[in-house]
């Protein structure tokens, strides 16, 4: 008998299974409405899907350029000009990736060396920390606190040292629903510029912002053009999360560095889907405005429902998510216990926000995803109200 192999990368083994998979699986087991993992329950625009269908039938279907198909790269550059006034050279400054996930992985692996440090804002999207650590670098966490998740300059300054190379900025921010203010962006820009850092800007929710706020890419601030990699996702912008088409806009020197990792990770992304996303990015302004206003109406509906059962809900100015304080309805346990009990007993799933903290030490928040049909949100609220009454 041979030996059972126990070969595993220690960093990844230490991070276990992502909370999104864990909660979606628990939701399926209990027939729960899944307000955990963030994905819409209605597919995005039919015309975009139609272009994908035609491109699947007629091509292109073979390996495209590793940087992406020309039409999509041109569309990314045009989009960035239309929405943010950026002048982007599509041939030198855009790259298509397999989702924002791969863009993030390419950035961390392409930019960081062992001994380097990256600054991350907590609560953080779940892939950042494992990617930074897998690259051999160390993460310095700057914690933002509810209700406004304000960034303090003292905390930011304290995280900086001569090993700092990268700052990862996610605005609108998952899971908090925070949109960084102009003042905060200026503060970050100032540090990035003075210290010669690179900002990896995860802007996947750029078109999902509420209350008349405007998304401002860090890249558009003075002196920031040379320091920023801006990441977008067709999954979020077109409500097609399974497609995994992402894109990066960056100055040539940074893009080349990051493409060194991309070429060995995925190399290319399905060209038929790229054609459809190229078409989508050129859609009329009303489409993008409607995405935000539809999501805002869903946010309001779920927030009112959660407040109606007595939960304290924090403001969300962007993303798919609302956070509620589980202790506000007298729940004595932590967030994970709450989310598991709610999934099992109320048959509504949410994600425990402790999963977005390195040490899991913030345990009073549950993240609810509102990008669902109104009837589904209404049923979830109904189930929660019944659960609360029975408690
Ligand atoms: N960053 C953030 C903040 C996200 O919420 C997501 C959503 N999954 C991603 C990156 C990954 O996006 P994609 O599905 O395009 O890989
Ligand atoms: N971004 C989504 C979320 O935060 C889902 C990500 C995933 O499933 N990996 O829920």
């Amino acid at each position: 008998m041979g030996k059972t192999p126990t070969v595993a990368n220690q960093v990844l083994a230490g991070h276990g299974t992502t909370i999104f998979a864990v909660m979606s699986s628990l939701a399926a087991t209990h027939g729960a409405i899944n307000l955990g993992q963030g994905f819409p329950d209605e597919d995005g625009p039919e015309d975009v899907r139609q272009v994908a269908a035609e491109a699947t039938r007629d091509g292109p279907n073979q390996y495209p350029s590793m940087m992406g198909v020309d039409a999509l790269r041109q569309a990314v550059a045009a989009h960035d000009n239309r929405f943010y006034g950026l002048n982007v050279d599509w041939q030198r400054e855009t790259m298509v990736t397999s989702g924002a996930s791969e863009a993030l992985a390419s950035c961390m692996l392409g930019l960081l060396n062992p001994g380097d440090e990256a600054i991350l804002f907590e609560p953080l999207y779940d892939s950042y920390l494992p990617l930074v650590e897998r690259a051999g670098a160390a993460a310095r966490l700057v914690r933002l606190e509810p209700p406004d998740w304000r960034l303090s300059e003292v905390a930011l300054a304290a995280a900086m040292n001569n090993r700092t190379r990268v700052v990862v900025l996610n605005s609108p921010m998952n899971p908090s629903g925070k949109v960084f203010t102009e003042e905060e962006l200026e503060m970050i820009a100032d540090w990035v510029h003075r210290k010669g850092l690179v900002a990896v800007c995860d802007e996947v929710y750029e078109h999902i912002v509420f209350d008349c706020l405007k998304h401002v890419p860090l890249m558009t601030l003075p002196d920031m053009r040379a320091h920023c990699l801006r990441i977008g996702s067709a999954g979020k912008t077109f409500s097609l999360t399974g497609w995994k088409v992402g894109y990066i806009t960056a100055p040539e020197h940074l893009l080349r560095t990051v493409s060194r990792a991309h070429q060995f990770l995925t190399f290319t992304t399905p060209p038929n889907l790229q054609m459809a996303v190229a078409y989508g990015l050129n859609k009329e302004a009303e489409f993008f405005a409607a995405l935000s206003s539809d999501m805002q109406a869903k946010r309001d509906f779920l927030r009112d429902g959660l407040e109606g059962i007595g939960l304290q809900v924090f403001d969300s100015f962007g993303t798919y998510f609302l956070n509620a304080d589980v202790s506000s309805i007298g729940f004595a346990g932590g967030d994970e216990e709450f989310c598991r009990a709610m999934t099992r007993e109320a048959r509504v799933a949410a994600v425990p926000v402790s999963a977005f903290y390195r040490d899991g030490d913030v345990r009073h928040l549950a993240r609810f995803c509102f990008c669902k049909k109104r009837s589904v949100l209404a049923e979830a609220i109904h189930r929660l109200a019944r659960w609360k009454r029975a408690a």
Side-chain angles (χ1 to χ4, degrees):
M1 269 255 290
K3 271 174 82 176
T4 306
T6 52
V7 181
N9 174 265
Q10 291 301 302
V11 171
L12 298 178
H15 282 281
T17 302
T18 165
I19 192 67
F20 307 123
V22 170
M23 291 314 298
S24 283
S25 153
L26 196 68
T29 303
H30 294 285
I33 295 175
N34 190 356
L35 305 186
Q37 187 182 20
F39 59 91
D41 61 356
E42 290 174 293
D43 286 346
E46 192 168 344
D47 53 351
V48 173
R49 288 181 281 134
Q50 183 62 35
V51 176
E54 284 161 17
T56 304
R57 191 192 54 212
D58 302 335
N61 288 300
Q62 305 305 327
Y63 291 137
S65 148
M66 71 170 241
M67 300 304 284
V69 302
D70 290 359
L72 179 51
R73 300 177 71 199
Q74 287 159 359
V76 168
H79 164 277
D80 290 358
N81 183 264
R82 170 157 69 129
F83 288 98
Y84 310 121
L86 288 164
N87 287 318
V88 176
D89 177 341
W90 70 268
Q91 286 173 298
R92 293 189 177 78
E93 299 186 310
T94 66
M95 183 170 85
V96 177
T97 58
S98 292
S101 304
E102 192 248 318
L104 287 161
S106 293
C107 287
M108 306 309 185
L109 296 176
L111 292 165
L112 292 167
N113 287 292
D116 290 346
E117 291 191 1
I119 293 183
L120 308 176
F121 299 113
E122 222 180 19
L124 36 74
Y125 181 63
D126 81 331
S127 74
Y128 298 166
L129 190 56
L131 288 173
V132 166
E133 292 178 350
R134 189 66 188 83
R140 287 267 170 186
L141 302 179
V142 176
R143 184 170 286 191
L144 310 182
E145 305 276 359
D148 56 4
W149 314 96
R150 181 181 300 280
L151 172 62
S152 117
E153 182 147 24
V154 175
L156 183 61
M160 298 272 175
N161 60 49
N162 57 14
R163 292 181 297 279
T164 312
R165 299 286 177 269
V166 163
V167 176
V168 180
L169 176 66
N170 175 213
S171 184
M173 184 185 186
N174 179 8
S176 67
K178 173 189 176 67
V179 172
F180 281 72
T181 63
E182 295 226 21
E183 195 189 347
E184 289 169 325
L185 294 178
E186 282 164 13
M187 183 201 301
I188 296 167
D190 185 42
W191 279 94
V192 165
H193 185 238
R194 270 194 288 128
K195 294 269 204 180
L197 308 179
V198 173
V200 173
C201 301
D202 179 345
E203 302 181 10
V204 299
Y205 298 104
E206 61 187 319
H207 292 294
I208 307 176
V209 277
F210 313 134
D211 305 323
C212 300
L213 288 177
K214 234 175 71 79
H215 171 66
V216 178
L218 188 70
M219 182 180 267
T220 60
L221 271 69
D223 298 322
M224 279 299 93
R225 188 68 170 77
H227 292 260
C228 296
L229 292 132
R230 199 185 96 71
I231 299 173
S233 167
K236 304 295 187 295
T237 294
F238 301 107
S239 303
L240 294 163
T241 59
W243 278 22
K244 288 293 190 180
V245 178
Y247 22 89
I248 304 180
T249 304
E252 190 177 10
H253 66 284
L254 291 180
L255 198 64
R256 196 177 316 113
T257 301
V258 167
S259 72
R260 301 269 184 261
H262 164 75
Q263 65 185 342
F264 296 132
L265 280 173
T266 55
F267 186 49
T268 65
T269 297
N272 48 340
L273 300 182
Q274 291 193 49
M275 293 306 290
V277 173
Y279 167 87
L281 284 177
N282 288 314
K283 275 175 83 72
E284 67 287 1
E286 292 71 38
F287 163 76
F288 296 90
L291 179 64
S292 281
S293 57
D294 289 354
M295 289 296 172
Q296 179 172 325
K298 291 174 192 288
R299 174 202 66 175
D300 292 346
F301 187 74
L302 183 62
R303 183 196 55 214
D304 292 351
L306 295 177
E307 286 179 348
I309 63 164
L311 278 163
Q312 184 197 354
V313 181
F314 295 105
D315 286 336
S316 168
F317 297 104
T319 74
Y320 290 156
F321 311 113
L322 277 170
N323 293 285
D325 187 332
V326 307
S327 67
S328 59
I329 51 169
F331 190 82
D335 61 342
E336 189 170 344
E337 223 176 316
F338 177 87
C339 290
R340 285 180 179 275
M342 189 173 74
T343 306
R344 235 177 16 244
E345 296 163 13
R347 290 193 303 120
V348 176
V351 167
V353 175
S354 54
F356 298 85
Y357 290 85
R358 176 170 59 191
D359 300 329
D361 56 325
V362 176
R363 295 199 188 91
H364 63 292
L365 298 174
R367 191 196 77 173
F368 290 83
C369 171
F370 51 74
C371 56
K372 306 292 175 186
K373 290 194 265 299
R374 184 173 278 242
S375 58
V376 171
L377 295 176
E379 174 60 20
I381 293 162
H382 173 72
R383 290 184 187 187
L384 290 174
R386 202 172 44 198
W387 183 55
K388 167 111 185 305
R389 279 197 304 274

